[in-house]
Amino acid sequence: VQTIFSYWTKVKASVLGEFVLSSLRERFLERVVELPPNVVERAGSGELLSRTTTDIDHITWAVRDAFPIITICLVEIASIFIAIGFTAPIFVAVVMIGFPVIYAVTRRYLRKSPQAYRVESSSYALMNSVLVESAESGRTIDALSLGEDRIERSDSALGRWIEWERYTLRLRTGWFPFVEISYIFPLGVVLLVGAHFFNQGTMTIAQVTTCLLYAQMAIDPLEGILWWIDELQGGKASLSRLLGIHE
């Protein structure tokens, strides 16, 4: 059942991804053509190049890969919790003991990350613009002795991009450790609670073992959801850059 569902979900997501890709490219070109020529020239060829390649690739990849995997993970988690409820309902609450921590740190992360990813994408586009312009105007730069100026601009654009890359990395570094701890903590609690009920004679060792294995199984889909939510931040930033072309 899981194989069939995964296959169907990924096929549908691939079709949707191709539709989104073609629609975004067409809409982007239509909006660029409608803009005044001086605005397009001021943006630079590198800026347009990064939006039509890197940004569209991020969006298509997010729709084609991230959404189906998140959907599959959600179904897996729901199935596991239903199985835990049939085995020993008390463990449903025990397994969810780490969810408040995950919710709190993820909400804090998502409050800061969207703007950071947007600026990071903009910094990458600026660096791309400087490099493309330097490559296309090599003879003019040599003729006017502008080499040092172009090197300074390239170093500045590259430094800004690296700075924002490091900032988003720091956000992830502060997010993932708390999430990882929240995966392991429920396993210990399940073991302690199970041992207590087993000593009282109200629960069998089979029930405790089964719920412990279910709690272990829930880690992978939960980690998958959080990982792909993080990856979706880049796609969200790229989407705002494409849809905001008129601005």
Side-chain angles (χ1 to χ4, degrees):
V1 170
Q2 184 184 28
T3 301
I4 294 172
F5 175 72
S6 300
Y7 172 77
W8 178 80
T9 304
K10 290 183 178 180
V11 167
K12 292 294 184 181
S14 297
V15 174
L16 177 62
E18 293 301 325
F19 172 77
V20 170
L21 174 63
S22 61
S23 176
L24 284 174
R25 287 189 188 277
E26 292 171 4
R27 187 181 304 178
F28 179 81
L29 291 175
E30 289 174 357
R31 291 185 174 184
V32 170
V33 170
E34 293 172 358
L35 290 173
N38 63 321
V39 174
V40 179
E41 290 294 331
R42 190 167 64 249
S45 55
E47 176 71 26
L48 296 177
L49 181 64
S50 65
R51 295 197 188 209
T52 53
T53 54
T54 305
D55 288 331
I56 287 183
D57 287 342
H58 281 168
I59 296 169
T60 308
W61 170 76
V63 174
R64 185 185 297 158
D65 294 332
F67 282 120
I69 292 178
I70 289 176
T71 304
I72 292 169
C73 289
L74 286 173
V75 174
E76 287 182 2
I77 291 175
S79 303
I80 290 171
F81 273 93
I82 291 173
I84 293 175
F86 277 114
T87 305
I90 185 63
F91 282 116
V92 174
V94 174
V95 173
M96 293 182 65
I97 197 170
F99 278 40
V101 177
I102 294 176
Y103 173 78
V105 296
T106 302
R107 182 179 179 183
R108 176 178 174 273
Y109 170 75
L110 294 178
R111 190 168 59 248
K112 295 182 178 181
S113 61
Q115 180 63 25
Y117 277 101
R118 281 195 293 269
V119 178
E120 180 189 330
S121 298
S122 177
S123 301
Y124 178 81
L126 176 61
M127 181 190 67
N128 200 19
S129 298
V130 173
L131 295 179
V132 170
E133 290 165 3
S134 298
E136 291 179 348
S137 309
R139 292 182 179 179
T140 304
I141 292 171
D142 286 340
L144 299 177
S145 300
L146 297 175
E148 292 298 326
D149 177 69
R150 300 305 299 181
I151 290 174
E152 290 180 5
R153 291 194 62 182
S154 299
D155 289 343
S156 175
L158 180 61
R160 176 177 169 80
W161 176 55
I162 292 176
E163 179 183 347
W164 280 99
E165 281 277 2
R166 287 175 174 169
Y167 178 74
T168 55
L169 178 61
R170 286 197 298 272
L171 289 178
R172 293 190 295 272
T173 304
W175 178 46
F176 277 123
F178 290 99
V179 172
E180 294 289 339
I181 293 173
S182 301
Y183 297 156
I184 306 301
F185 182 63
L187 296 179
V189 178
V190 167
L191 197 58
L192 290 174
V193 173
H196 171 71
F197 284 111
F198 176 73
N199 289 331
Q200 288 186 338
T202 57
M203 192 172 292
T204 65
I205 192 68
Q207 287 176 301
V208 176
T209 305
T210 302
C211 290
L212 190 64
L213 292 174
Y214 279 143
Q216 176 71 31
M217 287 175 60
I219 292 177
D220 285 342
L222 183 60
E223 187 174 30
I225 288 177
L226 295 174
W227 174 262
W228 283 98
I229 284 176
D230 176 58
E231 296 294 325
L232 278 175
Q233 299 303 307
K236 184 179 178 182
S238 296
L239 183 62
S240 67
R241 283 168 49 78
L242 282 173
L243 297 182
I245 188 64
H246 270 157
E247 300 176 8

